[in-house]
Amino acid sequence: MEEVATSNVQYTPASKGTMFRQMIRVFMQNKLAVASLAYIVILTVACIFIPLLYKTSFTAYNNFSNNSCYDSSVLGYSGPSLHHLFGCSSSGFDELGLIMYAGRYSLLIGYLSALVTMTLGVAYGIFAGFRGGWVDAVMMRFDDMLLSIPSLYLLLLIISIWGRTDFGLILVIGVTGWFGVARLMRGEALQLRNREYSQAVRVMGGSGSRIMVKHILPNSISTMVTTATFALGDSILALSGLGFLGFGLQSPAIDWGTMIQNAVDTFENGSWWTLWPLATIFILLVLSTNYIGDALRDAFEVRLQER
Amino acid sequence: MRYILRRLFQGLLICFGVSIITFLLPQIYYRPISLAIAANSIRTPHYILEKWIQTHGLNRPIWDQYVSWLWGVFHGDFGISLAKGTNGIPVSTVIGGNVWRSVFLTLPPTIISVCLAIPLGLTQAIKRNKSWDYATTSFIFILYSTPAALLSILMIRYLAIQFNIGQVGIDSFAQQVSAANFPMYMINNFSMFLLPFAAIVFLSIGGLSRYMRGSALDTLVQDYVRTARAKGASNRRVLFRHVLRPSAIPLLTILGLSLPGIFSGALIIEDIFNFPGMGVLSVKSVQVGDFTTVMMITLLLSVFTVLGNLLADIFLVIADPRIRLQGKK
């Protein structure tokens, strides 16, 4: 408390708008990150709209006679052409359309499970960090336990029990992803609860939940946003891992991991187009989330330095 | 010493907690009767189901089941598989040598990736923002963003099939090699294990080298490094004596923390290369609903992780006296 009294630094409270604008400016200077963000936005929009352009179905198998994907000269599905930009998948669907169709599920599950991860992790971490003492110790030991279980095995264990549905996958990936987030947020809350403003609220008689919700939560937004981008990448990766192992969405729904699994045989037999477009889109997506996360971290750091 | 003892105690506590979590998770969902039906058949008479539940002790209170299960685990008895196909077979028989084979698969590449990550991160830090840093950093970023499955498939397609480097998968004969003979088997058939090894190295090197770069950057601006340069130590001596050690030692902690990630990645790699390890086994077990086996595998791997973290911490205390001082505080 003494520090508050003796410090005669003139605080000019920067309004939210300027701080936010400053951050945006720093972020926009990072060309790579802006490109990454644009990529994610474009990909999301494309996944929503491109499947609508197709008159063919992505769920019902076509027989050979009326399937434009069937190439009678090679007795198989055709490669890239003007008609099918990315060629045709191993089961006779247009590859570009199928990627976008699967992208709807993959992105939706990715976004939502990242949301679940963030909600659980932030709530748990801030509560533990704010309370401190033995509550913190117990909660963090519990977090340690969860962190030491390999995530994919934990996913498998839960799936072996709960089975798999779209909604279940969102929950399962979200529920197994928050341990690291909680640890980060706890560190953040530990720092913030001893700041002058938190102490001031306490002196004025503000309740603990008020400090947590109104003061610690908004001030840890930088860590939260950065973690959320990484969480998005992680959950998309986790989903692809599950899909690849055969525990992804069930037909007629399909996700990128299942598509990779379906493409293995045809790809190894020489149909390069069954994997490469998907691989490129997928790797670029995860790469973008990592780049954005890095850029955001830098942007927030600059903001802290300038303050 | 007290610090080590405290960490040891914490590690034991965590192992204990993990065992509770892995034991309770299935119990939340399954009721004994549904397990009995799943393991037998829907047409089984009720009294037989009751008897099945009795013999497997599923009607006892959960804490009682847990204690006897834990007691069994300490005696090397991991319980009995409850799934239909493998009902009655001890889980330890189902798991067999798969545990050790998995360890043999993950350990060497992890060591290799540490050995590669240290020089990589160090050179990146020295040539910060030069072309070498940018090139390797983007390469690492791409590796880091590639799912293990894609990486392995691409390696199989372009290395094994096209250029005959390594092999497409592991021989199914490997299943019959006992755990004790397995290292020898791996050395003799190295080309078979080349690609899985490389995949795990690629998988784990990203995080490690990033961390090494960051910690070397921190060390390079320390006062003692400047002092060493000022007193005229050669560049090489400064790097090896003053920068390498303090920045490489914390890497051990990171290695310990990234063990779960490596195990998870190895699961997919095992699946692709058909390696007879715990990954393939747990996928199979999930498919047939044999959750007792998955539970045991998860528990074993978690305990390995905890032990790995513990070893890393203990080694850290021995290597870095500063931590010992902190512990005494």
Side-chain angles (χ1 to χ4, degrees), chain A residues 152-153 161 276 282 287 290, chain B residues 29 145 147 157-158 264 267 301:
Chain A
L152 207 48
Y153 284 90
I161 301 160
W276 269 116
F282 189 93
L287 200 59
N290 284 336
Chain B
Y29 188 77
S145 316
R157 173 69 183 81
Y158 292 104
S264 293
L267 190 159
L301 281 183

Side-chain angles (χ1 to χ4, degrees), chain A residues 246-267:
Chain A
F247 300 107
L249 297 175
Q250 280 159 318
S251 167
I254 189 167
D255 61 277
W256 282 333
T258 313
M259 274 187 78
I260 297 176
Q261 171 66 59
N262 292 346
V264 170
D265 288 337
T266 41
F267 178 71

Side-chain angles (χ1 to χ4, degrees), chain A residues 21 41 57 68 71 76 83 96 105 114 120 123 169 171 231 238 260 290:
Chain A
R21 233 177 289 156
V41 172
S57 164
S68 64
D71 185 355
H83 198 63
L96 175 64
Y105 290 100
L120 289 175
L169 276 178
L171 267 185
I260 297 176
N290 284 336

Side-chain angles (χ1 to χ4, degrees), chain B:
Chain B
M1 201 56 216
R2 260 181 67 189
Y3 177 79
I4 293 179
L5 276 179
R6 219 182 66 206
R7 281 294 291 127
L8 217 64
F9 178 69
Q10 275 180 5
L12 273 179
L13 207 68
I14 289 178
C15 285
F16 184 63
V18 166
S19 76
I20 293 181
I21 293 172
T22 45
F23 185 79
L24 277 186
L25 256 175
Q27 313 286 342
I28 298 170
Y29 188 77
Y30 277 131
R31 295 287 164 269
I33 191 72
S34 59
L35 273 179
I37 293 173
N40 296 291
S41 111
I42 192 82
R43 286 192 214 90
T44 316
H46 200 263
Y47 70 93
I48 294 185
L49 293 183
E50 287 288 336
K51 214 178 135 200
W52 189 88
I53 292 173
Q54 286 260 324
T55 49
H56 288 290
L58 293 175
N59 52 351
R60 287 181 294 162
I62 281 185
W63 62 268
D64 190 19
Q65 288 184 43
Y66 173 73
V67 169
S68 58
W69 176 73
L70 195 68
W71 185 253
V73 167
F74 276 127
H75 291 78
D77 167 23
F78 295 160
I80 291 168
S81 171
L82 297 180
K84 192 169 188 173
T86 49
N87 192 3
I89 303 172
V91 171
S92 53
T93 316
V94 178
I95 294 180
N98 286 25
V99 183
W100 296 111
R101 281 195 283 262
S102 269
V103 171
F104 292 139
L105 178 74
T106 34
L107 211 55
T110 311
I111 294 169
I112 294 171
S113 82
V114 172
C115 295
L116 289 178
I118 289 175
L120 188 63
L122 195 62
T123 48
Q124 278 177 343
I126 295 167
K127 310 216 165 180
R128 191 190 182 189
N129 294 343
K130 301 258 174 59
S131 53
W132 165 256
D133 183 25
Y134 281 129
T136 47
T137 300
S138 4
F139 181 64
I140 292 289
F141 253 69
I142 292 174
L143 273 187
Y144 196 68
S145 316
T146 313
L150 265 181
L151 190 70
S152 317
I153 296 171
L154 292 179
M155 285 203 313
I156 289 176
R157 173 69 183 81
Y158 292 104
L159 295 181
I161 295 181
Q162 199 151 2
F163 294 112
N164 256 330
I165 304 170
Q167 285 179 29
V168 177
I170 312 284
D171 208 350
S172 51
F173 175 69
Q175 182 93 49
Q176 289 150 25
V177 181
S178 71
N181 295 331
F182 207 72
M184 241 8 247
Y185 180 74
M186 283 170 107
I187 295 170
N188 290 337
N189 298 286
F190 187 70
S191 74
M192 214 147 71
F193 296 93
L194 183 68
L195 291 189
F197 274 8
I200 296 178
V201 169
F202 283 141
L203 198 80
S204 50
I205 200 171
L208 290 176
S209 74
R210 276 319 274 176
Y211 189 83
M212 180 68 201
R213 178 178 179 270
S215 103
L217 277 178
D218 280 350
T219 320
L220 277 171
V221 294
Q222 293 287 329
D223 289 338
Y224 57 79
V225 174
R226 203 185 313 145
T227 314
R229 284 198 205 283
K231 79 175 187 206
S234 70
N235 204 11
R236 218 169 114 172
R237 190 181 157 83
V238 170
L239 282 184
F240 277 93
R241 252 196 104 74
H242 300 278
V243 178
L244 185 65
R245 243 180 60 157
S247 47
I249 287 176
L251 209 63
L252 268 178
T253 317
I254 297 301
L255 185 67
L257 289 177
S258 59
L259 268 182
I262 296 175
F263 281 136
S264 293
L267 190 159
I268 291 177
I269 290 165
E270 282 182 15
D271 186 74
I272 293 173
F273 289 98
N274 197 22
F275 181 88
M278 281 194 282
V280 172
L281 183 67
S282 59
V283 170
K284 267 186 209 153
S285 309
V286 172
Q287 276 162 352
V288 297
D290 181 7
F291 77 88
T292 34
T293 305
V294 186
M295 193 167 90
M296 203 55 235
I297 291 175
T298 313
L299 179 64
L300 280 177
L301 281 183
S302 312
V303 171
F304 276 145
T305 308
V306 174
L307 288 182
N309 277 327
L310 207 62
L311 276 180
D313 273 5
I314 289 172
F315 189 79
L316 207 62
V317 174
I318 296 168
D320 193 344
R322 280 175 301 181
I323 296 170
R324 235 171 308 169
L325 291 177
Q326 268 172 15
K328 270 182 193 158
K329 195 160 57 174

Side-chain angles (χ1 to χ4, degrees), chain A residues 136-157:
Chain A
D136 176 43
V138 170
M139 283 175 86
M140 278 303 117
R141 286 296 84 75
F142 183 64
D143 200 48
D144 278 346
M145 290 168 198
L146 293 171
L147 264 175
S148 54
I149 305 176
S151 60
L152 207 48
Y153 284 90
L154 188 60
L155 277 175
L156 282 184
L157 183 62

Side-chain angles (χ1 to χ4, degrees), chain A residues 183-307:
Chain A
R183 175 148 292 257
L184 275 176
M185 291 311 296
R186 177 240 179 197
E188 193 78 6
L190 270 183
Q191 280 180 4
L192 292 180
R193 73 171 184 157
N194 290 329
R195 286 280 169 82
E196 289 87 349
Y197 51 77
S198 303
Q199 289 172 342
V201 176
R202 211 168 299 144
V203 169
M204 282 185 274
S207 66
S209 55
R210 188 189 167 87
I211 301 177
M212 275 189 269
V213 176
K214 291 228 160 181
H215 299 275
I216 293 183
L217 198 64
N219 278 293
S220 53
I221 191 99
S222 58
T223 319
M224 269 160 59
V225 174
T226 317
T227 321
T229 44
F230 288 126
L232 175 65
D234 285 348
S235 56
I236 290 175
L237 271 179
L239 176 66
S240 84
L242 279 182
F244 182 79
L245 292 175
F247 300 107
L249 297 175
Q250 280 159 318
S251 167
I254 189 167
D255 61 277
W256 282 333
T258 313
M259 274 187 78
I260 297 176
Q261 171 66 59
N262 292 346
V264 170
D265 288 337
T266 41
F267 178 71
E268 282 172 8
N269 288 333
S271 306
W272 58 268
W273 63 87
T274 50
L275 196 62
W276 269 116
L278 174 61
T280 317
I281 287 175
F282 189 93
I283 294 173
L284 278 181
L285 175 63
V286 183
L287 200 59
S288 308
T289 59
N290 284 336
Y291 272 135
I292 293 175
D294 262 18
L296 280 175
R297 197 156 43 195
D298 290 349
F300 285 119
E301 262 173 23
V302 171
R303 196 204 69 194
L304 287 179
Q305 281 163 9
E306 281 179 8
R307 191 158 66 179

